[in-house]
Amino acid sequence: MNRIITSMLWIWAFCFFLTTPAAASGTKGKIDDGQTKKASVELKFNLKPGEKYLFSSVVKQEIVQEAMGQQITTTQDISTEYIYAIKAQENGITEIDVTMSAIKMDTDVGGMQRITFDSSDPDAGTSELKVMSNVVGKTFQLYINEDGSIHKVEGFADVFGAMGGQQAEILEQSFGDSSLVQSMNQITNIYPDTEVSIGDTWVKTFSGPIANLMQSETTSNFTLSELAGDIAVLEVAGQLTFSKFTGEGGNPMLQAADFNMSGTQHGTMEIDVNSGLPLLSKLKQDITGSMDMQGMKIPMSIASSITITGKKL
């Protein structure tokens, strides 16, 4: 049982290593224009060529699992930093060189096992995670539309392909370009498709695989709650469900796993009106349900606190 739990945590950690869940994405936003119109504002992804930005995230989690009459509480802290170098902007599509500059992870599995990694000192961490040091400093290309949706990704699968070793093979299978498109969509695709005023709400939905491990369905409501100078404050409220992954190329570490989980997400986001840069996001997720594997049902709950900051370099 410990092997199952450790394997799942290892993959779950990589889900957050690749992306910090921010908001649902996928379809165009639907505006509720029942509010009395005031000064309107256009929110879109509008970072300019030649500029560089640092995105930092901190994810704190408590994961409770029950199996064979035993309850295990895992605490997990994951910090990541990405540098976005804006290369070009054409026909509403922004080309970006994305480089992971740092990652730090500390996981305590019920006081029985500790899993750590710090890219500033990779040799001091857990040996199975040392492969992550090969990702730090590597660059791939991201193409983003004005509404924040991911147009395409190039070069990400090559990062894992050049590593070698069993862990690298698992990561390459789990986190190819298509998986990254789904993941990065959740970070940037937050903008409405028309101008909005204070009190307006728009809805975005997301459906897609997470690391070829589970299927994710998310619906999020965004409300423009405040305009303070060049800062737009958004209230976020979402519903999340996770189910069994049914596509090809399932994650080899948990191929037989069947997830049945759901939860909520809520918080606030501060957006720079001129550039669309997400300056500060503070979100909380509460997810409950179970994982079925090898004839064993494992009830789970996951409480996450997520803080994401963006700044111009």
Side-chain angles (χ1 to χ4, degrees), residues 73-85:
T73 299
T74 298
T75 57
Q76 186 161 256
D77 292 350
I78 303 174
S79 302
T80 56
E81 293 185 353
Y82 288 93
I83 294 176
Y84 278 32

Side-chain angles (χ1 to χ4, degrees), residues 19-242:
T19 177
T20 45
S25 58
T27 64
K28 290 186 176 181
K30 176 184 177 182
I31 302 296
D32 177 3
D33 56 4
Q35 302 287 338
T36 301
K37 293 298 181 183
K38 298 180 181 179
S40 60
V41 63
E42 182 182 22
L43 299 176
K44 64 180 182 179
F45 191 85
N46 192 33
L47 307 186
K48 299 299 184 182
E51 297 176 340
K52 283 190 176 182
Y53 295 85
L54 174 66
F55 287 91
S56 304
S57 71
V58 177
V59 178
K60 296 182 179 294
Q61 288 186 309
E62 182 180 84
I63 304 170
V64 180
Q65 300 166 297
E66 297 180 17
M68 300 175 64
Q70 182 181 9
Q71 179 173 293
I72 299 176
T73 299
T74 298
T75 57
Q76 186 161 256
D77 292 350
I78 303 174
S79 302
T80 56
E81 293 185 353
Y82 288 93
I83 294 176
Y84 278 32
I86 314 303
K87 305 301 292 183
Q89 193 176 75
E90 186 176 358
N91 298 325
I93 298 174
T94 302
E95 178 186 352
I96 305 171
D97 281 350
V98 180
T99 304
M100 173 173 282
S101 57
I103 178 171
K104 185 176 181 180
M105 185 177 76
D106 190 341
T107 300
D108 186 317
V109 185
M112 300 180 294
Q113 182 180 12
R114 191 174 181 192
I115 304 169
T116 64
F117 178 80
D118 187 342
S119 58
S120 65
D121 188 9
D123 291 331
T126 306
S127 59
E128 291 85 353
L129 298 182
K130 190 176 178 180
V131 66
M132 292 198 296
S133 61
N134 295 294
V135 181
V136 176
K138 300 296 191 301
T139 299
F140 59 93
Q141 287 67 49
L142 188 63
Y143 297 80
I144 302 182
N145 297 309
E146 288 182 346
D147 66 356
S149 61
I150 306 301
H151 179 69
K152 65 177 179 178
V153 174
E154 291 181 344
F156 186 70
D158 296 339
V159 172
F160 292 123
M163 289 182 191
Q166 183 179 9
Q167 283 90 358
E169 183 179 351
I170 291 171
L171 294 179
E172 185 179 3
Q173 292 175 358
S174 303
F175 303 105
D177 286 354
S178 59
S179 293
L180 184 68
V181 168
Q182 302 288 359
S183 300
M184 299 300 286
N185 253 324
Q186 295 186 74
I187 301 175
T188 59
N189 194 350
I190 60 175
Y191 308 101
D193 58 3
T194 187
E195 291 187 353
V196 291
S197 303
I198 293 176
D200 281 349
T201 296
W202 59 101
V203 181
K204 292 211 168 186
T205 60
F206 167 77
S207 176
I210 297 180
N212 287 358
L213 172 65
M214 63 185 78
Q215 185 74 14
S216 171
E217 308 279 344
T218 306
T219 300
S220 284
N221 295 289
F222 298 86
T223 301
L224 178 61
S225 62
E226 183 181 353
L227 282 173
D230 291 331
I231 306 300
V233 181
L234 309 184
E235 300 288 338
V236 184
Q239 301 289 326
L240 309 94
T241 61
F242 304 93

